[in-house]
Amino acid sequence: MRPTKREFQSIRYATAQIKQLVFLGFLALMAFIGLLWFARPKESATEQRKLTAFPKLTLAGIWDGSFFNYEPKTPEEKPGGVSTWYADTYPLRELMTTGYNAMRDAYGTGDRLTKRPTADEIPQQGGLTPEQLAALAAEGDPKTTQKNDPAVTDTPAKTEVPPETQNGAVPVETTAVPTEPTTTERKSGAGDAVTPAEQAGSIYITENCGYGIYGFSQSGSAKYCINVNAVAKALSGKAKVYCMICPISAGIMLSDSVREGIGCSDENEAMNWMYSNMDPSVTPIKVYDTLKQHNDEYIYFHTDHHWTALGAYYAYREYCALKGWTPHELSSFETITFPNFLGTFYSSSNQSPALASNPDTVTAYYPNGTNDMTMYSNYNMPTGKYAEYGWKIIYDVSGYPKSGLYGTFSGGDQPYNYAHNPTVTDGSSVLIVKDSYGNAFIPFLVDHYEHIYWIDYRSFQSWCVWAGKPYSSISGLVTEKGIQDVILCNNINSTGSSTLLETMEKIFK
């Protein structure tokens, strides 16, 4: 029997009331969860960053509104206030973000580009004079324009070194640096719990893989050449200088037509332009063609902006060719693997479900000569001092978050590191000046030198200040240690970053 009109209206009214109660109940539940102060996270392992802190309560902040909603006054500042803190640290934020992205991706099946890079035309001329390079560099002075900032902001966060590791040992803070650091017995309590995020700004996602894309900056590239040439001049007669510009994934793994379609500059042409404008005393380590020949192999991560250890191995073989060495075959190394790695592409794409469905496996190759190293870090050092750690060149990061597994290589992005290989006794030495691309490259070099030094140029100067060094430059370190070979190892996006180029200028001398 069909309900009467009055009965139908009564049912509809009751249904509407139930919907309203369910909705209000849902809002009340979400508000209650938001009040769970103890459940609010302080860090995001997925995004590899510290979350917004609760603002300091001041009368002035309440009066001008900044306590509730702080608007940044400079590009370096971040939004703040109670509203930003509430949204950034909401207990279910990451779960809700993942759900939103899964729903969004369910509506579309095409490829996705997070941001199209700004790119200049790559000129053909090489061999420019110092004056011509200076003129080009001045065109993109970061004080007057930001148009040449790179697709990847390759600035390291403070390296995450936990005060305690799984076995509970605490590192010892040092107040003096030995004249010649030597590898000590391993002290637990150092290393990269979460490798510093070099956040990928421009990502192309297709077929469940992410690709970092590059936009050529003529002014930035000219500035990079000036910095490299300054190092060559400072080290003339002291050390041999090598320069390796590391390609990123789009330039190697994608076809020319796809690269052109997403606005990616030709990395090979850009690198050749930079090499052609470097001092003749600088020996380029050209790895583009070799990597391109192996682009059917697993040489770049799918969810992260770094190359894999296999990609770094092919770069190592190119360096061996320049040195006249016989490279070690991969079969000569013992390996360790770490599955389910979700890197910077995953975090920078708001936890793309496509990337989550295709996690990486990190494979690391142990050096044959030694796996011991010394490194310095100032994590959790409120005084600004550094601690010296005995560590491992390839470290077992099985207990790390899945976003931090790249931290297995070379201690991560520490300012100053040293390894002594006892199987080589010829006094040979090398310094690698790097960003995080160098981390996977360094372990292969260990077997060929007696003394191996590596620094992260982004934090080396602050370490020099703490260590009481009369210098904060590459040449100063080379002179003090009597280093014979210097390798400048940077990914190609670093060569166009105004911020990083200014940092390089301070120590590339």
Side-chain angles (χ1 to χ4, degrees):
M1 181 177 176
R2 296 179 62 184
T4 64
K5 182 177 180 181
R6 182 182 295 274
E7 291 173 331
F8 179 77
Q9 290 177 336
S10 177
I11 292 171
R12 188 171 65 174
Y13 177 73
T15 302
Q17 283 188 316
I18 292 173
K19 289 180 179 179
Q20 290 174 358
L21 289 173
V22 169
F23 178 69
L24 292 174
F26 175 76
L27 290 180
L29 175 63
M30 299 300 285
F32 173 75
I33 293 174
L35 294 174
L36 299 178
W37 190 287
F38 60 87
R40 288 184 172 272
K42 295 182 179 180
E43 297 184 4
S44 171
T46 301
E47 298 178 45
Q48 301 185 8
R49 68 178 179 90
K50 293 184 183 297
L51 301 177
T52 304
F54 190 83
K56 184 179 180 180
L57 179 61
T58 63
L59 185 61
I62 295 176
W63 182 259
D64 62 18
S66 61
F67 174 75
F68 304 100
N69 186 23
Y70 178 76
E71 296 294 334
K73 296 179 175 60
T74 67
E76 292 76 21
E77 288 186 318
K78 295 181 179 180
V82 172
S83 60
T84 302
W85 164 82
Y86 186 89
D88 204 31
T89 63
Y90 188 80
L92 298 180
R93 175 179 173 274
E94 291 201 2
L95 180 63
M96 295 169 66
T97 299
T98 301
Y100 165 76
N101 288 324
M103 182 181 296
R104 179 198 59 195
D105 284 9
Y107 281 96
T109 58
D111 301 337
R112 186 152 63 93
L113 178 65
T114 59
K115 185 174 67 174
R116 188 174 296 273
T118 300
D120 297 339
E121 290 293 326
I122 302 176
Q124 299 300 313
Q125 78 274 20
L128 299 178
T129 66
E131 293 74 20
Q132 290 171 321
L133 284 175
L136 289 177
E139 291 179 6
D141 192 321
K143 295 180 177 62
T144 59
T145 179
Q146 295 295 322
K147 78 180 184 72
N148 291 319
D149 278 350
V152 172
T153 304
D154 200 17
T155 51
K158 183 163 64 173
T159 303
E160 302 291 338
V161 181
E164 296 186 4
T165 51
Q166 293 143 341
N167 58 14
V170 181
V172 178
E173 181 180 343
T174 58
T175 56
V177 179
T179 302
E180 178 66 40
T182 57
T183 303
T184 60
E185 286 187 17
R186 179 180 176 278
K187 307 168 194 164
S188 297
D192 281 346
V194 180
T195 300
E198 296 167 334
Q199 294 296 332
S202 296
I203 310 167
Y204 178 63
I205 300 175
T206 181
E207 297 181 353
N208 298 342
C209 290
Y211 301 90
I213 57 180
Y214 164 71
F216 175 75
S217 163
Q218 182 171 254
S219 59
S221 299
K223 184 69 172 292
Y224 182 71
C225 293
I226 292 172
N227 287 337
V228 172
N229 293 342
V231 172
K233 180 179 179 181
L235 295 181
S236 178
K238 297 180 181 179
K240 177 67 176 174
V241 178
Y242 298 84
C243 181
M244 181 169 69
I245 304 173
C246 307
I248 59 175
S249 53
I252 299 296
M253 308 302 289
L254 298 178
S255 67
D256 292 346
S257 59
V258 172
R259 284 193 301 99
E260 292 172 2
I262 61 176
C264 184
S265 298
D266 189 310
E267 294 181 38
N268 193 34
E269 288 186 7
M271 286 186 287
N272 286 335
W273 185 86
M274 283 183 273
Y275 287 141
S276 70
N277 285 298
M278 291 180 186
D279 190 272
S281 66
V282 177
T283 301
I285 308 172
K286 297 185 177 182
V287 300
Y288 182 91
D289 290 341
T290 297
L291 292 171
K292 196 73 172 177
Q293 291 168 9
H294 292 275
N295 70 355
D296 58 342
E297 301 174 37
Y298 190 29
I299 58 176
Y300 286 91
F301 292 114
H302 304 146
T303 71
D304 188 76
H305 71 284
H306 295 104
W307 56 13
T308 65
L310 180 60
Y313 172 75
Y314 288 126
Y316 150 77
R317 292 183 69 93
E318 287 301 307
Y319 182 65
C320 286
L322 291 173
K323 296 291 291 184
W325 297 338
T326 300
H328 292 177
E329 297 299 324
L330 282 175
S331 59
S332 71
F333 300 103
E334 293 184 11
T335 63
I336 185 171
T337 59
F338 309 99
N340 300 317
F341 174 45
L342 293 174
T344 52
F345 289 162
Y346 176 68
S347 59
S348 297
S349 62
N350 290 322
Q351 304 167 38
S352 164
L355 299 183
S357 69
N358 190 27
D360 287 293
T361 295
V362 178
T363 298
Y365 299 86
Y366 287 101
N368 293 309
T370 182
N371 195 39
D372 294 324
M373 61 174 283
T374 296
M375 71 179 185
Y376 291 84
S377 175
N378 67 346
Y379 180 72
N380 272 357
M381 295 292 173
T383 60
K385 296 181 179 180
Y386 285 79
E388 175 188 345
Y389 301 91
W391 202 240
K392 297 296 180 182
I393 296 167
I394 299 298
Y395 184 73
D396 185 349
V397 293
S398 300
Y400 283 15
K402 58 188 176 181
S403 60
L405 299 181
Y406 190 75
T408 185
F409 299 110
S410 308
D413 293 335
Q414 311 296 345
Y416 179 83
N417 312 269
Y418 171 77
H420 174 249
N421 179 4
T423 67
V424 178
T425 57
D426 59 4
S428 56
S429 57
V430 65
L431 168 66
I432 303 96
V433 183
K434 63 159 195 78
D435 56 29
S436 62
Y437 261 64
N439 298 352
F441 175 68
I442 289 165
F444 297 113
L445 296 181
V446 171
D447 292 343
H448 298 275
Y449 289 95
E450 182 176 354
H451 305 285
I452 306 95
Y453 303 84
W454 60 101
I455 63 174
D456 193 302
Y457 70 90
R458 298 164 294 181
S459 53
F460 177 66
Q461 187 177 45
S462 63
W463 179 84
C464 287
V465 172
W466 167 80
K469 299 295 182 182
Y471 59 81
S472 58
S473 64
I474 294 172
S475 61
L477 180 60
V478 168
T479 300
E480 180 183 293
K481 305 300 181 184
I483 296 170
Q484 300 155 0
D485 293 333
V486 174
I487 302 173
L488 308 176
C489 176
N490 304 114
N491 82 75
I492 193 169
N493 267 326
S494 298
T495 66
S497 165
S498 58
T499 301
L500 296 184
L501 289 166
E502 287 184 344
T503 303
M504 289 179 197
E505 186 178 13
K506 295 175 183 177
I507 73 163
F508 276 44
K509 55 187 177 180

